[in-house]
Structure formats: C-alpha cells, structure tokens
C-alpha cells in the first residue's frame, strides 16, 4: 500500500541524502540504546514494532532534530503555553499510517512514557501537548484523509483533519449536504468530536457527536477496534466524553445532513444607543424557544470606545437560516421585529460558503478552508456557562459595567442558542448532557497579544473575577461547563493525571452531569490502569 505524504513545516533546504543520513543515524543510535533510558527505549521499540519502520523514522522527531521546535509550535493555538518554560515532549511522532499510531501507544506504555494526542492543538488548557511527567506527543496531523460518500450521505474522517477540511471536502462533492461542526475551521475533528462539537446548525441537527455512526479507536494495548469490536459502551463514551481518555480515535464515520442549496446569512450590529440591552434581553426568550429549527441567531458582545471617547457595548446578531432571504425576513418580522433586520443585511449563498462567512473569511475562495494556519494565534483564557433563565435587563446593565471598567475589548461574550433538536435528544444519549431546558451557552473570552507575565496575570485574574460575578445568573448545582472549552479552574486531577473518583467528580459533574458515573465505569472496563490520562481525564475506579 502506498504511504500517505507526510505534512511537515517549511524547513531550510537540504539534500535528500543528508536527510536520509540523519534519519539512519537516529535509527542506528536508538536501536543500540540500552533501554534503561525511556527516551531511547521508546525509539528502539518504535522502530522494531512498526510494520513501516523505515518510514516511521521520517515522522519521528526528538529534541535533537532541527525540525522539532517548528513542529511542536505548529499546532499550539494558545500562546500562553508556547513558552521556553513549558514542558516539552521527549519525542513527537506524526504517523502517516494507523499501524504507526498503534506502535506509538504500545511503545509509550512499554517505556513508561505518557502519551498526549494532538489533532488541531486547540485544547484551551494545552492538554494535548503539555504534561508534568515525561511524555510523547502523538500528533495526528498526517492522518487527515476524508472520504465522502454522497450516495449514502456518509463520510469517513480521520482525526487529524480540521473542520475546515471536512467542510471543503463535503462541498467539493455536494451542494446539498453538510455537517454540524464548529465555526473555527482550524479545529481538529479529533478533539471536536470527542467533546461533542457544535456549530451554526446544531438547533436543526444536534452536535457533531450526535451524528457519528462508527469509529476506529486504538486501545491501551495498541489494538485497533471499530464500533462492533469496541462495544456500545465505549462507542457511547468517545462521542462527547472528552479526548485522550479512552484511547486514540483515529477515524470517525459520520452521517451527513441535508442542507438547501441556498442559505441566508446576516450580521446586525447594535449599540447601547440602538437599544442593544433590550434586544439582548428579548433574544433570550425567542432564540431557543420561538425561532424555527432552521434558524440560529447567536450574539457576540464586546466593548468599544467611540470617537467621542465614551465607551459603549456592541452586540453582533449573527444569523444562519436554512432557506431564502424572503422566508428569513418573514420569520424575524413576526418573532423579533425589534431587531430591524432588512433585506440589505442578508446575503444568500451555499451552505459551505456560509462556513467561510462565520469563520471571518468572507470573500476568500473555498480553498481557505484547507488552510490549517488561517487563524491568528493569541494568548487567551476562556470559560463557559449555561443559562436556563433569562438574565434581566438590570443584570445585563451590571454586566456591561464590567466591560466598561476593563480595557476596551478585554472581555467578550458569545451567546449560542439552544432549543430545537438540542432539546429533543436525551441528556444521556451521549456523554454531553446539556440538552432540554438550556436557553443558551455562554463562552467567556479574554484574549491579548502582549505575552508579558504582568499582562497575562492581569487578564487571567480579570476572567476569574468576571466568572465569579456571572455565577449569580447561571445554575449552580452543578455550574455546568462545556468540556471542549477546557477549564482547569473548575477542578483537576492529581499530579500526572492520577486522581480519585471523588476528586474527579468535582469537575466531571460540571461537564457531564449524571453521565460522569457511566464514563467512569467505561474507563474502568477499557483502561483500568489509567494509561490514557491528563489533568481532566476520566479516572478508573481503583483496582480491587
């Protein structure tokens, strides 16, 4: 079988013979290692146990390799963790074949190294590429093949693919099929699907994980399973139970969903002078419970200093409607006339082009979806909340005061409406429990470009205080959170990811509610020694 072409960052030019000599030297040196050194033992095991040993040396990078640093930094999306003092992996492996990924798992376990699995590098706390103990990164960026079957409306997607690559491949084959996944095109599907995955059509079709029908996973023994051989309990757990916990999912089979050939998008900006507070307040009553499932309207809130020097709030109402402009205008004029949506605010396009629109890439060719580096890397600290009761206008005005006191743009809130299909699926259908009764989810954001310790500490503190303030307006038992917006402040496992059931329950019930107990049982059955672990991985029950 022909090997896939490996993706590597741009590097200084070198002759093929020189590169071959380097790889051959590494291979001979590590095969001769004593095995007392976990690093050397891992590499020796890797070369001896992969059926594609010659090629695996070409996608294996340790800290002596001149490509190591550029490859490590390539997928680090949060600059808070791209620092000289951040813990570094002993080795990075970017397999081009599944058997190579299996070898990484087996050899990591045999040599006593922890393995961190990276797909797109968007983990908010960097858990896909950081560890406090010696570790290896299994980077899946070369396992990103996508096979779309239009006839039966399904696709196989390897975990190293991004949401943008998936959208592009679907649009390449059909203008009447789509998939409910994220707004950011550079997010890797491995992490996205593992935590649930939501986007602008979730009110119509649910989460990404709700539309997964099969998967291939490498277990802690390095064995490969599909849905039939892994069993329904594990298949349930990997669709929303969080990544790097139960094994390495190398590919997913998804059901594609029907979309009209023409959809309508719009963005309407309103400030405080344009009645933004009343509009946001009204939106809470209708976005989840009155709008048709074909319509999703989210709000982005941020502050802005006007030319007169006065601070105001900006509310961006962004809409995707699975239909034509005339129908959207009729819906809004009936249920939300206060917004004042006009025909000029609306643009008709294909569904796949709408993914460019909401990614902030309007006007660019569809090929922009294939760019794994299209987003600007920044420093950030984000958190999440779920809202079940509308926040009053008076309370909204108190929230605006926080935006006013902080630096312009220092705080951002994104309100994503629920309802529709999200309210019809049982909270135990998959591990993701946030279903009926939720009006919307909030993503709290603070992002900055000055990486100094002083600024970073100030921004993290700002987010901590604002999150504490917002606790008055959201449910508290538990205060729910979205696992793909990873937040170690809500609780974490012990050192090296080892923890007790009680300790993990602190954060686990916030992400998974009652599903946490079933996740623990699955973990105990499939990975009782807790090989796959991180600071917020599901723990197994103690061995008897």
């Amino acid at each position: 079988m022909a090997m896939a072409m490996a993706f590597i960052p741009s590097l200084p030019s070198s002759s093929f013979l020189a590169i071959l000599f380097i790889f051959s030297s590494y291979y001979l040196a590590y095969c001769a290692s004593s095995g007392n050194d976990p690093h050397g033992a891992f590499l020796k095991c890797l070369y001896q146990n992969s059926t594609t040993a010659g090629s695996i040396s070409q996608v294996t990078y340790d800290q002596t390799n001149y490509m190591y640093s550029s490859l490590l930094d390539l997928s680090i999306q949060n600059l808070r963790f791209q620092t000289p003092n951040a813990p570094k992996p002993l080795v990075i492996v970017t397999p081009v074949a599944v058997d190579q990924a299996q070898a990484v798992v087996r050899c990591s376990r045999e040599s006593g190294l922890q393995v961190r699995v990276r797909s797109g590098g968007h983990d908010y706390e960097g858990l896909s590429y950081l560890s406090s103990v010696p570790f290896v990164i299994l980077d899946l960026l070369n396992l990103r093949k996508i096979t779309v079957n239009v006839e039966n409306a399904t696709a196989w997607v390897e975990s190293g693919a991004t949401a943008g690559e998936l959208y592009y491949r679907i649009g390449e084959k059909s203008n009447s099929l789509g998939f409910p996944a994220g707004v950011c095109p550079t997010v890797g599907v491995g992490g996205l699907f593992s935590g649930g995955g939501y986007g602008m059509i979730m009110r119509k079709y649910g989460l990404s994980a709700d539309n997964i029908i099969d998967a291939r996973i490498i277990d802690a023994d390095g064995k490969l399973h599909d849905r039939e051989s892994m069993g329904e309990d594990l298949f349930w757990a990997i669709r929303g139970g969080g990544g790097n916990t139960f094994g390495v999912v190398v590919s997913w089979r998804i059901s594609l969903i029907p979309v009209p050939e023409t959809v309508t998008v719009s963005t309407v900006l309103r400030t405080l002078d344009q009645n933004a507070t009343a509009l946001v307040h009204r939106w809470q009553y209708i976005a989840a419970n009155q709008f048709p499932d074909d319509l999703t309207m989210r709000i982005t809130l941020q502050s802005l200093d006007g030319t007169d020097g006065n601070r105001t709030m900006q509310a961006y109402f962004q809409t995707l409607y699975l239909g034509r402009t005339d129908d959207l205008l009729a819906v809004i004029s009936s249920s939300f006339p206060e917004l004042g949506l006009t025909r000029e605010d609306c643009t008709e396009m294909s569904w796949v082009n709408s993914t460019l629109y909401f990614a902030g890439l309007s006007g660019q060719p569809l090929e922009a979806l294939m760019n794994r580096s299209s987003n600007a890397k920044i420093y950030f600290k984000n958190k999440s909340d779920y809202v079940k009761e509308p926040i009053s206008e008076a309370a909204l005005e108190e929230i605006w005061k926080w935006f006013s006191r902080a630096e312009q743009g220092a705080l951002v809130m994104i309100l994503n409406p629920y309802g529709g299909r999200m309210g019809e699926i049982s909270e135990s259908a998959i591990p993701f429990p946030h279903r009926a009764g939720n009006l919307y989810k909030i993503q709290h954001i603070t992002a900055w470009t000055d990486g100094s310790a002083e600024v970073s500490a100030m921004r993290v503190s700002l987010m901590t205080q604002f999150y504490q303030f917002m606790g008055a307006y959201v449910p508290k038992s538990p205060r729910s959170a979205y696992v793909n917006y990873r937040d170690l402040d809500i609780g974490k496992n012990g050192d090296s990811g080892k923890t007790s059931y009680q300790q993990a329950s602190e954060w686990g019930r916030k992400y998974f509610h009652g599903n946490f107990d079933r996740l623990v049982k699955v973990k105990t059955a499939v990975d009782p020694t807790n090989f796959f672990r991180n600071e917020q991985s599901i723990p197994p029950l103690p061995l008897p």
Side-chain angles (χ1 to χ4, degrees):
M1 180 181 293
M3 298 302 298
M5 181 64 71
F7 177 90
I8 58 175
S10 299
L11 298 165
S13 59
S14 301
S15 72
F16 173 78
L17 290 177
I19 294 175
L20 182 61
F21 174 78
I22 291 171
F23 285 127
S24 299
S25 299
Y26 286 157
Y27 179 79
L28 292 173
Y30 293 126
C31 280
S33 67
S34 65
N36 294 324
D37 167 30
H39 172 209
F42 169 78
L43 290 168
K44 180 178 180 180
C45 172
L46 195 64
Y47 297 143
Q48 291 179 342
N49 285 276
S50 172
T51 59
T52 51
S55 62
I56 201 170
S57 66
Q58 300 177 38
V59 291
T60 302
Y61 312 87
D62 74 353
Q63 295 181 8
T64 66
N65 191 301
Y66 72 102
M67 297 165 59
Y68 171 91
S69 294
S70 57
L71 186 60
L72 175 62
D73 294 346
L74 182 67
S75 296
I76 295 179
Q77 306 296 337
N78 191 343
L79 295 181
R80 288 174 56 212
F81 307 118
Q82 189 176 326
T83 65
N85 296 327
K88 305 293 191 295
L90 296 176
V91 183
I92 305 170
V93 186
T94 60
V96 295
V98 172
D99 81 282
Q100 294 178 343
Q102 291 175 266
V104 170
V105 172
R106 286 194 298 267
C107 293
S108 295
R109 187 168 186 171
E110 289 180 16
S111 57
L113 296 174
Q114 194 172 113
V115 63
R116 293 293 169 103
V117 184
R118 184 164 73 172
S119 177
H122 283 261
D123 188 292
Y124 279 10
E125 296 283 12
L127 300 190
S128 62
Y129 50 84
L130 298 174
S131 176
S132 60
V133 299
F135 71 110
V136 171
I137 289 181
L138 175 55
D139 195 320
L140 302 177
L141 82 167
N142 286 325
L143 293 177
R144 62 182 192 276
K145 183 179 179 181
I146 300 168
T147 304
V148 176
N149 187 321
V150 174
E151 184 176 344
N152 62 16
T154 63
W156 272 104
V157 188
E158 290 188 323
S159 287
T162 64
E165 289 171 331
L166 174 58
Y167 296 151
Y168 180 86
R169 294 304 178 196
I170 295 172
E172 187 179 46
K173 293 291 184 70
S174 171
N175 59 4
S176 59
L177 292 174
F179 189 72
V183 169
C184 178
T186 61
V187 171
V189 303
L192 182 70
F193 293 177
S194 294
Y198 78 95
M200 293 297 290
I201 51 177
M202 72 173 182
R203 299 190 67 251
K204 180 71 172 180
Y205 294 110
L207 304 173
S208 302
D210 293 324
N211 294 275
I212 294 168
I213 54 178
D214 202 349
R216 297 189 181 110
I217 185 172
I218 300 169
D219 68 15
D221 295 320
K223 297 177 181 178
L224 184 66
H225 301 276
D226 61 9
R227 178 175 182 174
E228 182 178 3
S229 63
M230 80 175 77
E232 288 302 302
D233 283 342
L234 180 54
F235 183 64
W236 173 85
I238 62 176
R239 292 173 296 150
N244 210 61
T245 286
F246 304 100
V248 181
V249 181
V250 291
S251 58
W252 314 78
R253 190 178 185 219
I254 59 175
S255 287
L256 304 180
I257 51 88
V259 294
E261 294 188 1
T262 301
V263 304
T264 304
V265 301
S266 70
T267 299
V268 174
L269 168 63
R270 296 291 183 260
T271 64
L272 295 181
D273 291 342
Q274 297 169 311
N275 215 22
T277 303
L279 291 173
V280 172
H281 181 252
R282 173 64 179 154
W283 172 90
Q284 297 176 97
Y285 290 88
I286 57 178
N289 296 327
Q290 294 187 30
F291 283 159
D293 300 353
D294 289 329
L295 193 162
T296 295
M297 179 185 290
R298 71 172 189 169
I299 303 177
T300 299
L301 300 168
Q302 63 186 33
S303 63
L304 178 71
D305 290 335
T307 55
D308 58 0
N310 293 323
R311 176 75 56 87
T312 189
M313 286 296 300
Q314 293 182 315
Y316 289 88
F317 295 81
Q318 282 194 309
T319 300
L320 172 64
Y321 181 67
L322 299 176
R324 307 300 293 252
T325 298
D326 287 345
D327 294 330
L328 172 60
L329 291 172
V331 170
I332 297 300
S333 65
S334 171
S335 57
F336 197 17
E338 304 94 326
L339 182 62
L341 183 70
T342 67
R343 186 173 299 276
E344 290 70 31
D345 297 321
C346 302
T347 304
E348 294 185 344
M349 60 183 64
S350 66
W351 170 81
V352 71
N353 273 289
S354 78
T355 67
L356 282 171
Y357 177 87
F358 291 108
L361 301 173
S362 292
Q364 296 194 30
L366 285 178
E367 286 72 20
L369 293 170
M370 301 288 283
N371 183 358
R372 298 178 70 96
S373 303
S374 62
N375 59 300
K377 296 183 178 182
I378 54 176
Y379 302 83
F380 65 87
K381 174 62 180 179
N382 296 356
K383 292 177 176 289
S384 60
D385 268 318
Y386 285 87
V387 178
K388 292 190 173 185
E389 298 291 337
I391 299 173
S392 69
E393 286 194 51
L396 289 173
E397 290 173 353
E398 291 300 312
I399 293 172
W400 304 163
K401 291 178 182 178
W402 278 82
F403 282 73
S404 180
R405 290 193 294 264
E407 182 183 352
Q408 174 186 285
L411 289 172
V412 176
M413 296 171 68
I414 301 178
L415 317 183
N416 291 279
Y418 273 51
R421 180 64 179 147
M422 290 296 291
E424 297 169 355
I425 300 173
S426 166
E427 66 177 23
S428 61
I430 63 173
F432 180 98
H434 315 293
R435 303 291 188 172
N438 289 288
L439 296 178
Y440 57 96
K441 175 179 60 61
I442 304 175
Q443 181 174 192
H444 306 288
I445 301 172
T446 185
W448 62 99
T449 56
D450 182 343
S452 67
E454 180 181 2
V455 171
S456 294
M458 181 178 65
R459 284 301 187 89
V460 171
S461 176
L462 171 65
M463 178 53 65
T464 299
Q465 295 176 56
F466 182 65
Y467 181 73
Q468 291 173 346
F469 163 78
M470 286 299 300
Y473 308 113
V474 297
K476 301 175 180 61
S477 299
R479 184 172 182 179
S480 299
Y482 177 38
V483 68
N484 271 357
Y485 293 164
R486 187 83 68 179
D487 182 9
L488 295 182
D489 295 342
I490 69 173
K492 60 182 179 178
N493 296 339
D495 293 339
S496 307
K498 297 178 180 179
T499 194
S500 66
Y501 167 85
Q502 182 177 2
Q503 185 177 2
S505 296
E506 180 182 350
W507 57 264
R509 297 196 182 281
K510 296 172 184 176
Y511 289 141
F512 307 115
H513 295 187
N515 295 330
F516 177 72
D517 287 338
R518 184 178 175 187
L519 288 169
V520 171
K521 291 178 181 178
V522 175
K523 175 71 171 182
T524 304
V526 303
D527 186 17
T529 63
N530 203 23
F531 172 67
F532 293 108
R533 63 184 185 270
N534 59 51
E535 287 78 358
Q536 281 189 346
S537 59
I538 302 295
L541 293 172
L543 295 173

